[in-house]
Amino acid sequence: MTEAILLVGGRGTRLRPLTVHTPKPMVPAAGVPFLTHQLARARAAGVDHIVLATSYLAEVFEPYFGDGSALGLHLEYVTEEEPLGTGGAIRNVASRLHSGPDDPVLIFNGDILTGLDIRALVGTHQSTGADVSLHLTKVTDPRAYGLVPTDETGRVTAFLEKPQTPEEIVTDQINAGAYVFRRSIIDTIPVGRPVSVERETFPGLLAAGAHLQGMVDSTYWLDLGTPAAFVRGSADLVLGRAPSPAVPGRCGDRLILPTASVATDAKLTGGTVVGEGAFVGEGARIYGSTLLSGAVVEPGAVITDSLIGARSRIGERSILTGAVIGDGAVVGADNELRDGVRVWCDARIPAGAVRFSSDQ
């Protein structure tokens, strides 16, 4: 297998304000755009040609990755004029593929961090003679996902939308967002209109008698669709819990990029990332968080499980827990921001303006 399609057209609305100026796959995780980790893992599995299906802020991708040669890849870019959904996006880029009708084509979503054994998925696809093979993972609570039950041979028997009652939870297996398609199957997807591969293509193929094979791989898997998940994924990459050959440094408790400045008595733990040109002042404590390029954390601030946008500033003694601070925002001294708060790009919060406890 040498070809793949990477779906990177989503608007990333659940991640706003991180995605106001940056498409979701380009938001940095462990020091580099998240997409870098996916490309590097695909290359390590033997893929050499990847077509990126872009839409939202499509102009950002090619200037950064170019033709892909720096990663040992041949990259091409196809932009949707109108959103086409997952299936429509796959069909829209099919003309760029070089594979023969029976060759396998890897397809994966641009917002999943996983330790999937890509070669094993392709091997399963080829050994079973499947038309489409799906990476499945097991989750403790499958109610938020579409369920994919399989028989004793791993063949998919149904696609069930998010279950509402205990009786509907017939399996803990869910679609994990990576597939191998027989090349000819891609050509059966309708052209020029929105198509959901999950809700239309896969159930339609199953109803038509196609062979859809599931491979359960229960290694690391995380959907990075929410800010809390994105911050956790970045930290797990730094800590080495999530595998990637693209982390720019050794795995450990923290990752400080070369042009960042960190005070000697600042404490950084839990997979914290300090981006290029960022600054951390004296006595600051940062756990499991990401500071993007040019961010400033002033002395005595305490930041936990948060993402601090590019060129933003966190004032002295401010306490942030589970917060997302947009690019260029300023949080004044002595504020407390907690539990999923989002501060929009370029916003200004005066000193001591937001508190969850007394100011004494």
Side-chain angles (χ1 to χ4, degrees), residues 41-228:
R41 282 185 50 77
R43 181 69 190 97
V47 176
D48 58 22
H49 178 219
I50 299 180
V51 184
L52 275 65
T54 67
S55 179
Y56 177 64
L57 296 176
E59 68 276 7
V60 172
F61 295 93
E62 189 167 3
Y64 188 90
F65 291 106
D67 64 1
S69 56
L71 293 170
L73 290 165
H74 172 215
L75 298 182
E76 295 188 65
Y77 307 83
V78 177
T79 301
E80 300 169 18
E81 300 304 321
E82 298 290 336
L84 294 172
T86 48
I90 293 167
R91 184 66 180 89
N92 191 50
V93 307
S95 63
R96 302 294 185 94
L97 298 173
H98 307 147
S99 302
D102 291 326
D103 290 340
V105 177
L106 175 69
I107 299 171
F108 50 117
N109 289 320
D111 56 1
I112 301 295
L113 177 59
T114 177
L116 167 68
D117 185 338
I118 296 171
R119 291 182 186 273
L121 180 62
V122 176
T124 295
H125 177 79
Q126 294 176 320
S127 65
T128 59
D131 295 302
V132 179
S133 297
L134 298 85
H135 171 209
L136 308 179
T137 193
K138 295 178 180 288
V139 294
T140 303
D141 183 359
R143 288 176 297 177
Y145 305 95
L147 308 185
V148 186
T150 54
D151 66 16
E152 64 277 4
T153 69
R155 188 160 180 159
V156 174
T157 58
F159 290 91
L160 307 174
E161 280 305 302
K162 299 173 183 177
Q164 303 301 311
T165 66
E167 292 75 24
E168 293 177 298
I169 302 176
V170 299
T171 181
D172 58 357
Q173 297 175 177
I174 66 165
N175 178 352
Y179 322 112
V180 179
F181 273 62
R182 186 190 303 274
R183 170 67 182 85
S184 57
I185 295 294
I186 295 175
D187 293 329
T188 68
I189 299 173
V191 178
R193 69 168 176 85
V195 179
S196 167
V197 74
E198 300 86 356
R199 294 180 177 85
E200 182 176 344
T201 304
F202 290 157
L205 286 169
L206 198 62
H211 180 177
L212 278 69
Q213 186 74 21
M215 187 193 84
V216 177
D217 183 312
S218 296
T219 54
Y220 185 97
W221 184 85
L222 185 65
D223 178 348
L224 301 186
T226 66

